[in-house]
Amino acid sequence: MRIAFAGAGAIGCHYGSKLVQAGFDVILLARGRHLAVMQSAGLRHESEGECKQIKVKTISDAGQLNSCQVVVLSCKMSSLNDMLNLIQHHISPSALLLTLQNGVEAPDMVAQVFPDHAIAAGSAFIGVRLEQPGHVIHSAAGGVRMGLWQQGSGEQYLLPLIRAFQHAEVPARQDDDPEAMLWRKLLWNCGFNAITAITRRYARDIATGTETLAIARQAMEEAVTIAKLCGIAIDEQDIVKHIDVTLAMGPVKTSMWQDIEAGRNTEVEYINGYVVRKADELKVPVPANRLLTSLVNMK
Ligand SMILES: NC(=O)c1ccc[n+]([C@@H]2O[C@H](COP(=O)([O-])OP(=O)(O)OC[C@H]3O[C@@H](n4cnc5c(N)ncnc54)[C@H](OP(=O)(O)O)[C@@H]3O)[C@@H](O)[C@H]2O)c1
């Protein structure tokens, strides 16, 4: 089974490297200086106190994806449309496409371009960043969950893919309700990602402060309201669990915080901004998510 990561940055290089080290056939679609460094020197991968220089197969030409049984979409939401256009005519009809983006929209975007392919939705529970071109640092957690979103002949690769991750010492498991899985992750991101980016304080600090926790809780409650109206099986208990987990978290810089520091666009429009868009359609007020979206967009 050949596995490709399309848009191999932090997430793609981390999981790709773990699979390569476990002996799997992996190719990384990348670009720019990051691609050039990996081609000349390999991938520098720091994880769990170890730093390794890994020889990786990289490509810049999407045409080479047609030999892959699994294509993991590992770019950000902001580049997903362009990525789908790039790979549209290069994916084997019997391949499985897996999304790993934050937010809840990626699998449907993929399904629009690939209506007959098997699609799985994934959630990555990890802290990993591209420190510089060709250099990835994994700093927290690392698990991945995935579930079938759309049927197609490539669905036969879902279980082998999960086993490959497990063999590569990545905690991986199947989720039978991938829509709720994505919303549950969205919930945490609505509550904590934007606030940490605005305040430059760790999520645990936000959960410890009475006033800041009240804002995070309100943003999550609004997201649960919208989810329920959309028929998604999440509820207030998920908020309680997220707060408990956050109180026990280490000092992890969230993705929006990292993006703002690096002067990049954030994914807020796909997180709090998504809740606002859905709420507007449903004519439900979501003031906390609206405020967080606009504050992050001002940065
Ligand atoms: N990092 C984490 O800890 C983490 C945790 C959970 C979930 N996630 C989610 O995972 C997704 C990916 O995040 P990430 O942190 O891995 O982002 P990232 O480090 O920016 O990696 C994305 C990579 O895709 C590349 N790319 C985009 N379009 C491309 C194209 N057309 N051709 C070739 N390469 C292309 C980007 O290159 P350029 O830089 O040149 O654009 C970048 O190297 C996001 O939705 C994020 O929310 C991340």
Side-chain angles (χ1 to χ4, degrees), residues 7-12 29-31 34 74-77 79 83 86 100-102 124 126-128 130 185 267:
I11 285 270
L29 173 69
R31 65 183 176 190
H34 177 49
S74 53
C75 59
K76 288 202 157 148
M77 279 303 293
S79 18
M83 176 60 79
L86 184 74
L100 281 185
Q101 285 69 26
N102 271 328
I126 191 167
V128 59
L130 200 57
K185 179 109 190 280
E267 291 185 306

Side-chain angles (χ1 to χ4, degrees), residues 18-36:
K18 295 286 285 183
L19 290 164
V20 168
Q21 290 176 63
F24 291 94
D25 184 7
V26 172
I27 56 177
L28 306 178
L29 173 69
R31 65 183 176 190
R33 174 118 186 86
H34 177 49
L35 170 69

Side-chain angles (χ1 to χ4, degrees), residues 1-234:
M1 184 170 71
R2 173 173 281 177
I3 304 164
F5 287 83
I11 285 270
C13 284
H14 169 74
Y15 288 127
S17 168
K18 295 286 285 183
L19 290 164
V20 168
Q21 290 176 63
F24 291 94
D25 184 7
V26 172
I27 56 177
L28 306 178
L29 173 69
R31 65 183 176 190
R33 174 118 186 86
H34 177 49
L35 170 69
V37 173
M38 289 196 289
Q39 281 172 333
S40 61
L43 172 70
R44 189 169 176 203
H45 187 198
E46 286 185 46
S47 178
E48 294 169 348
E50 278 192 278
C51 182
K52 296 179 181 166
Q53 201 70 27
I54 310 291
K55 194 168 185 290
V56 284
K57 279 187 218 162
T58 54
I59 56 166
S60 57
D61 170 17
Q64 294 185 48
L65 294 174
N66 61 14
S67 62
C68 297
Q69 285 72 46
V70 176
V71 177
V72 183
L73 291 150
S74 53
C75 59
K76 288 202 157 148
M77 279 303 293
S78 44
S79 18
L80 186 58
N81 253 327
D82 288 347
M83 176 60 79
L84 292 171
N85 287 333
L86 184 74
I87 69 173
Q88 183 168 14
H89 302 295
H90 304 298
I91 305 298
S92 156
S94 60
L96 170 71
L97 291 152
L98 169 70
T99 61
L100 281 185
Q101 285 69 26
N102 271 328
V104 300
E105 296 169 281
D108 281 341
M109 285 168 66
V110 179
Q112 277 191 2
V113 179
F114 294 98
D116 301 318
H117 278 74
I119 298 170
S123 267
F125 300 86
I126 191 167
V128 59
R129 65 182 189 276
L130 200 57
E131 181 71 358
Q132 50 189 324
H135 181 187
V136 163
I137 300 181
H138 165 218
S139 55
V144 63
R145 285 182 208 158
M146 60 191 86
L148 196 64
W149 193 266
Q150 175 174 296
Q151 290 182 324
S153 59
E155 66 193 67
Q156 59 178 313
Y157 297 116
L158 185 63
L159 285 179
L161 179 66
I162 291 171
R163 280 191 219 108
F165 274 118
Q166 290 168 343
H167 190 73
E169 295 176 351
V170 172
R173 67 172 150 110
Q174 188 168 358
D175 197 308
D176 293 331
D177 188 348
E179 204 171 15
M181 171 192 79
L182 293 182
W183 270 91
R184 219 168 269 124
K185 179 109 190 280
L186 180 80
L187 201 58
W188 188 90
N189 278 314
C190 281
F192 292 101
N193 207 333
I195 302 185
T196 60
I198 295 161
T199 60
R200 314 289 214 270
R201 301 291 296 269
Y202 296 118
R204 184 184 51 200
D205 301 333
I206 303 297
T208 310
T210 311
E211 297 296 329
T212 48
L213 179 60
I215 300 168
R217 194 191 294 273
Q218 188 185 340
M220 290 191 282
E221 283 169 355
E222 291 172 3
V224 166
T225 301
I226 300 302
K228 283 183 175 172
L229 288 170
C230 295
I232 311 295
I234 64 170

